[in-house]
């Protein structure tokens, strides 16, 4: 496994591999790898000749009041996991290599970036799309692997790839959950024992929505109301949003048709968790 931090060096290596006919699968991460990331890495290994993982805690996607400083950085463990999964290349750039002095260019996906999480985290998705653009230019992958856990991120990046003619295919892998239903996230390490227990309610709320739809309730506000009621029973839960949206436009759906995305963001103490469930009917 090669570990590189210089964008030019990894770019040269990948270009050489591509000239030799190798396909490149790319998994962008901010480290603190868990089973969710590993599922992406394994799929990248299965589908491609070379699997590339980036580990970069991207300052551009954190707001001034957010957790950039305390974001977990267990690099040794991350590298051990990558080695175990037989990742071919790991890219670990430094901040100043990605954002050198004088950096002023950003990529923004209009509209989509302001919805759902974008409303509470202004600038967040602009930071994500900017860094993913840079990473795709550096890595020039054939396939980009993303997780459904960050459903809005996957929709926004897919839109950007289409709009800006990136020659990359996107594969979105299912959410990986713990036994208690809690979606795996690098931020789960922040949760206290009681918060972790309470957070199980998020998956229950998503399932409540599924059940209500299966029983013929297609009025979103009724479902959202019941979900909020259930979540609010937990003392430490502070709801940011619960929404039922169109899976592509992320616009709110008043009436549920064939396909919808039920999504939520809830804070437990200082930790903001997101989760979602795609529900298709008929
Ligand atoms: O999902 C993440 O970990 C990040 O948003 C990403 C895609 C690696 C960009 O920094």
């Amino acid at each position: 496994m090669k570990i590189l931090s210089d964008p030019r060096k990894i770019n040269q290596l990948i270009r050489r591999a591509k000239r030799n006919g190798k396909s490149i699968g790319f998994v962008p991460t901010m480290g603190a790898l868990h089973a969710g990331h590993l599922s992406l890495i394994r799929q990248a290994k299965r589908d491609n000749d070379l699997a590339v993982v980036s580990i970069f805690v991207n300052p551009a996607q954190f707001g001034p009041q957010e957790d950039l400083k305390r974001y977990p950085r267990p690099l040794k463990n991350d590298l051990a996991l990558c080695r175990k999964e037989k990742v071919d290349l790991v890219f670990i750039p430094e901040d100043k290599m990605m954002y050198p002095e004088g950096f002023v260019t950003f990529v923004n996906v209009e509209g989509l970036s302001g919805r759902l999480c974008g409303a509470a985290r202004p600038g967040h998705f602009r930071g994500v799309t900017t860094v993913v653009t840079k990473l795709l230019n550096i890595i020039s992958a054939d396939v980009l692997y993303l997780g459904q856990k960050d459903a809005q991120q996957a929709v926004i990046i897919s839109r950007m790839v289409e709009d800006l003619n990136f020659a990359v295919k996107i594969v979105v892998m299912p959410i990986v959950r713990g036994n208690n239903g809690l979606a795996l996230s690098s931020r789960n390490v922040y949760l206290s024992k009681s918060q972790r227990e309470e957070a199980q309610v998020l998956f229950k709320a998503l399932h409540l929505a599924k059940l209500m739809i299966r029983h013929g309730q297609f009025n979103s506000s009724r479902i959202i109301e019941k979900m909020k009621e259930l979540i609010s029973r937990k003392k430490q839960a502070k709801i940011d949003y619960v929404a039922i949206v169109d899976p592509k436009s992320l616009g709110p759906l008043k009436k549920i048709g064939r396909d919808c995305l039920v999504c939520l963001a809830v804070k437990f103490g200082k930790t903001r968790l997101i989760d979602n469930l795609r529900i298709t009917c008929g």
Side-chain angles (χ1 to χ4, degrees):
M1 184 175 86
K2 281 203 166 80
I3 303 167
L4 290 112
S5 61
D6 185 334
R8 275 169 312 180
K9 289 222 168 95
I10 194 162
N11 182 265
Q12 277 165 9
L13 244 162
I14 286 170
R15 279 176 191 280
R16 194 175 317 141
K18 289 189 88 165
R19 276 199 299 275
N20 291 332
K22 307 271 189 228
S23 63
I24 312 292
F26 173 43
V27 182
T29 82
M30 298 208 299
L33 303 182
H34 52 66
H37 295 111
L38 301 188
S39 79
L40 309 188
I41 293 173
R42 285 176 193 153
Q43 192 64 39
K45 286 288 300 175
R46 278 195 289 273
D47 296 347
N48 301 277
D49 297 313
L50 295 177
V52 182
V53 172
S54 65
I55 299 176
F56 179 61
V57 183
N58 173 33
Q61 68 189 73
F62 288 79
Q65 307 303 326
E66 292 184 356
D67 56 343
L68 173 63
K69 278 216 175 101
R70 68 176 192 135
Y71 196 84
R73 290 168 172 84
L75 187 57
K76 239 174 136 183
N77 189 55
D78 287 346
L79 290 175
L81 287 170
C82 287
R83 215 165 266 126
K84 193 156 168 255
E85 296 300 328
K86 299 191 166 42
V87 169
D88 298 282
L89 291 172
V90 184
F91 178 47
I92 314 180
E94 282 172 30
D95 288 6
K96 62 176 186 293
M97 287 174 160
M98 294 299 274
Y99 300 109
E101 231 185 278
F103 184 97
V104 286
T105 307
F106 292 88
V107 178
N108 192 40
V109 176
E110 304 284 325
L112 288 174
S113 295
R115 301 202 145 146
L116 303 172
C117 287
R121 304 185 69 191
H124 167 68
F125 288 112
R126 182 180 88 139
V128 171
T129 41
T130 300
V131 83
V132 171
T133 298
K134 286 176 69 71
L135 290 168
L136 285 174
N137 284 334
I138 294 164
I139 311 286
S140 54
D142 296 286
V143 191
L144 173 68
Y145 294 85
L146 300 169
Q148 174 63 19
K149 156 78 179 6
D150 297 300
Q152 184 174 12
Q153 170 170 282
V155 169
I156 289 173
I157 294 174
S158 302
R159 185 74 253 166
M160 175 187 86
V161 159
E162 208 173 313
D163 288 354
L164 299 184
N165 305 87
F166 280 94
V168 69
K169 180 182 155 193
I170 294 183
V171 170
V172 181
M173 296 293 290
I175 297 177
V176 178
R177 298 180 181 279
N179 291 337
N180 50 15
L182 184 63
L184 297 193
S185 159
S186 304
R187 288 190 165 97
N188 289 355
V189 295
Y190 299 148
L191 297 170
S192 68
K193 195 163 171 267
S194 66
Q195 288 169 343
R196 190 176 281 264
E197 269 164 27
E198 287 200 357
Q200 296 175 24
V201 76
L202 303 185
F203 188 52
K204 290 186 180 138
L206 292 170
H207 262 267
L208 172 65
K210 186 171 174 176
L211 215 70
M212 288 179 79
I213 294 170
R214 292 279 178 265
H215 282 88
Q217 177 60 269
F218 299 116
N219 183 321
S220 292
S221 48
R222 292 259 157 76
I223 299 172
I224 291 169
E225 192 190 326
K226 290 285 174 206
M227 290 175 73
K228 283 186 169 171
E229 230 174 81
L230 182 67
I231 296 169
S232 304
R233 280 188 216 151
K234 301 295 169 191
K235 279 207 304 271
Q236 298 174 82
K238 275 217 173 68
I239 298 173
D240 175 359
Y241 67 80
V242 175
I244 301 184
V245 300
D246 175 84
K248 264 199 153 177
S249 71
L250 303 178
L253 287 177
K254 271 193 178 154
K255 267 247 165 295
I256 295 164
R258 292 177 68 79
D259 198 4
C260 71
L261 182 73
V262 186
C263 44
L264 49 81
V266 178
K267 267 183 140 181
F268 290 87
K270 282 189 177 160
T271 309
R272 186 174 181 277
L273 300 180
I274 55 171
D275 202 347
N276 68 83
L277 192 64
R278 179 99 179 242
I279 302 172
T280 44
C281 316

